Amino acid sequence: QVHLVESGGGLVQPGGSVRLSCAASTSDFNILTMGWFRQAPGKERELIVHDNRSGGRITYADSVTGRFRSTRDDAKNTAYLQMNSLKPEDTGRYYCASMDLGGGRFAYWGQGTQVTVTS
């Protein structure tokens, strides 16, 4: 099983920046497809980053493109989500997720970390 733990969330002012971390307990971190999701109260979960490492492509949702950047540190088995120019509508619980080696769907999820952007 892939165990994922998010951290780095908190309260931030509009226009501010936050860097989320996702620590992964897996020996396959360097090849697994990763994703970042967020969910606000009363809203559906939204895929905001799709990181296809094996395919060499990172795709961002329109709502975050240009402001969020996804990176990985393979030596530390950690994924990062740098979030800049934050807006109140970015408020939500952020999750990292991973596909298994077979791919196709996100099978493993972290517990999430809350990001609250004040208005």
Side-chain angles (χ1 to χ4, degrees), residues 14-66:
S17 298
V18 170
R19 191 191 198 196
L20 304 183
S21 298
C22 176
S25 297
T26 174
S27 61
D28 299 314
F29 179 77
N30 62 320
I31 61 174
L32 292 176
T33 295
M34 301 289 298
W36 286 95
F37 296 77
R38 67 184 181 186
Q39 186 168 25
K43 298 178 67 67
E44 65 183 2
R45 188 173 59 217
E46 176 188 16
L47 173 65
I48 56 174
V49 183
H50 183 97
D51 182 353
N52 185 348
R53 174 63 69 84
S54 62
R57 181 175 180 84
I58 302 176
T59 302
Y60 298 89
D62 290 342
S63 57
V64 306
T65 189

Side-chain angles (χ1 to χ4, degrees), residues 96-113:
C96 65
S98 174
M99 295 183 180
D100 59 21
L101 290 174
R105 62 180 289 272
F106 290 101
Y108 307 102
W109 296 79
Q111 84 288 353
T113 184

